[in-house]
Amino acid sequence: MRTAESAQLIDVTGLEVLFGVLHERGYTIVGPTVRDGTVTMAELDSATQLPWGWSADTGPGHYRLRQRADGAGFAHCAGPQSVKNFLHPPRARLWSTDRTADGIIATGPEPPTKRYALVGVHPCDVAALAVLDRVLAHGEHPDPVYTARRDGVLVVTAECTEPGATCFCASMGTGPAATGGYDLALTELVDGGHRFLIRPGSPAGADLLARLPTRPASPVDVAAADTAVERAAVTMPRRMPDGSLPELIAANRESPHWADVASRCLTCGNCTMACPTCFCVSTTDVTDLTGEHTERWRQWDSCFSVDFSYVHGGPVRASGASRYRQWISHKLGTWHEQFGMSGCVGCGRCIAWCPAGIDITREAAALAAPTPAGEPS
């Protein structure tokens, strides 16, 4: 919570000090940076690599970088990658075996060599981390690759003050304000001097904050931060329909709207790759030519691929309509039954990075729209 009692201020130079302290403590810093025409998440050596002076214009199937005059560092919306790429990597070796004179020796996944500090992560992606934690770390069978990489991660969130046109986190309750799951929270202020309101969210964050060159935040600074985040919430152009999304999806299982979506959907799976919470994987076993060494690799998979639901005799979901219905039904509906939460955090990546410009908020709204008979479609 932003209060004059708990909040401090740091200047832009304070972020470089933050990077220095994190490096001194052995963290590998992951944060936003401009690369390949996007603001993407990458390992950073210096705060100078943050996307100072860049934002992005987004829309269905549209993403373009835009320069800004105020030099803001965290005024960008979600880019094509999230921190999922670092904690639940696209490809990972699960185990390997070697035949030796003493028998077969098996080794598990290699332990991570890096401890990450995630800097500049927006609240919607912090919420996505909580979703991945629930699925991959807190279940009956924790994922060894994810838990090893997630353990000891430090999160510095940057509250969203300028949402993109594809954002709808306010209607999902995951942003734009930071409400939990972070060690430090930043709110960037550019009017009246470039500065950051900073507050701790954990003992580790408080310890880190004590090493930074801070000064007390005034009530005016706190009010400015409140206004910036509240303005982001009310100006967010997209939102999910009101009411229970699981009930909406369940009531429309046989809706003709699925065929309409399928006429536009390429079933390329781009939405699932860009989604910060989609976690499905497949496994592949490989061996060398001698048969003495074998490995099992895991790679991201997508419910939009035909083979994803293959059982003997063929795929369960052969049509594009059934595969889109499966994806949105799990994301907005049955995820609640499985994990007690939504699988969508409203980051808008699936909208911006869909080559066909399919918009999950518009498809949900179409399902919620009353038919001439007064029932959902």
Side-chain angles (χ1 to χ4, degrees), residues 143-160:
D143 180 274
V145 175
Y146 179 81
T147 53
R149 288 169 173 258
R150 179 71 170 94
D151 186 36
V153 166
L154 188 133
V155 178
V156 180
T157 187
E159 293 189 297
C160 181

Side-chain angles (χ1 to χ4, degrees), residues 113 169 337 350:
T113 59
C169 68
E337 299 173 21
C350 62

Side-chain angles (χ1 to χ4, degrees), residues 3-356:
T3 65
E5 291 74 24
S6 63
Q8 304 283 313
L9 285 178
I10 62 171
D11 297 323
V12 173
T13 54
L15 286 185
E16 198 60 71
V17 177
L18 171 64
F19 272 54
V21 174
L22 291 174
H23 282 143
E24 179 184 302
R25 296 184 176 185
Y27 286 102
T28 296
I29 299 174
V30 170
T33 193
V34 174
R35 182 175 296 175
D36 300 328
T38 67
V39 174
T40 191
M41 301 300 290
E43 293 185 10
L44 306 181
D45 297 322
S46 164
T48 60
Q49 295 172 284
L50 291 168
W52 302 110
W54 289 97
S55 287
D57 292 327
T58 60
H62 175 83
Y63 181 100
R64 292 289 185 277
L65 282 182
R66 168 172 53 84
Q67 278 195 297
R68 49 189 303 130
D70 60 12
F74 300 111
H76 56 277
C77 58
Q81 290 187 350
S82 67
V83 296
K84 179 180 79 171
N85 295 57
F86 295 88
L87 304 181
H88 182 50
R91 193 165 184 265
R93 187 170 63 184
L94 297 180
W95 50 256
S96 64
T97 63
D98 288 284
R99 188 190 305 276
T100 70
D102 298 325
I104 295 176
I105 298 176
T107 55
E110 296 172 355
T113 59
K114 299 174 179 177
R115 185 168 58 126
Y116 289 117
L118 311 176
V119 176
V121 181
H122 285 323
C124 60
D125 278 346
V126 176
L129 265 181
V131 175
L132 291 179
D133 287 348
R134 174 65 184 84
V135 175
L136 299 175
H138 299 160
E140 188 174 351
H141 303 287
D143 180 274
V145 175
Y146 179 81
T147 53
R149 288 169 173 258
R150 179 71 170 94
D151 186 36
V153 166
L154 188 133
V155 178
V156 180
T157 187
E159 293 189 297
C160 181
T161 56
E162 189 171 307
T166 49
C167 296
F168 56 100
C169 68
S171 64
M172 300 305 294
T174 58
T179 57
Y182 60 85
D183 296 288
L184 281 176
L186 301 168
T187 314
E188 186 170 30
L189 301 170
V190 292
D191 293 334
H194 200 165
R195 63 207 187 280
F196 301 87
L197 199 76
I198 185 168
R199 65 186 194 276
S202 72
D207 180 63
L208 187 58
L209 183 59
R211 294 285 307 275
L212 304 183
T214 62
R215 64 182 187 276
S218 71
V220 173
D221 295 317
V222 175
D226 287 343
T227 299
V229 176
E230 289 166 4
R231 182 173 61 240
V234 300
T235 58
M236 207 165 286
R238 280 176 164 75
R239 62 177 296 109
M240 278 293 182
D242 294 331
S244 168
L245 291 174
E247 290 179 9
L248 173 67
I249 298 296
N252 284 279
R253 178 172 173 75
E254 304 302 332
S255 170
H257 188 66
W258 304 122
D260 176 71
V261 181
S263 70
R264 293 172 275 135
C265 178
L266 305 178
T267 65
C268 63
N270 223 28
C271 50
T272 58
M273 299 296 108
C275 175
T277 67
C278 278
F279 59 87
C280 289
V281 295
S282 62
T283 57
T284 303
D285 293 339
V286 296
T287 182
D288 65 3
L289 292 177
T290 67
E292 302 293 321
H293 179 81
T294 60
E295 296 180 347
R296 172 164 289 180
W297 285 83
R298 186 183 71 189
Q299 52 277 329
W300 287 357
D301 202 351
S302 171
C303 52
F304 280 93
S305 70
V306 175
D307 289 344
F308 185 82
S309 65
Y310 185 89
V311 293
H312 69 280
V316 172
R317 292 182 285 274
S319 69
S322 64
R323 297 204 286 280
Y324 186 85
R325 182 180 64 182
Q326 157 64 23
W327 175 70
I328 197 172
S329 295
H330 191 209
K331 188 68 65 182
L332 302 181
T334 54
W335 205 300
H336 287 269
E337 299 173 21
Q338 240 182 322
F339 305 115
M341 61 202 314
S342 173
C344 177
V345 296
C347 68
R349 287 185 176 90
C350 62
I351 303 172
W353 296 98
C354 172

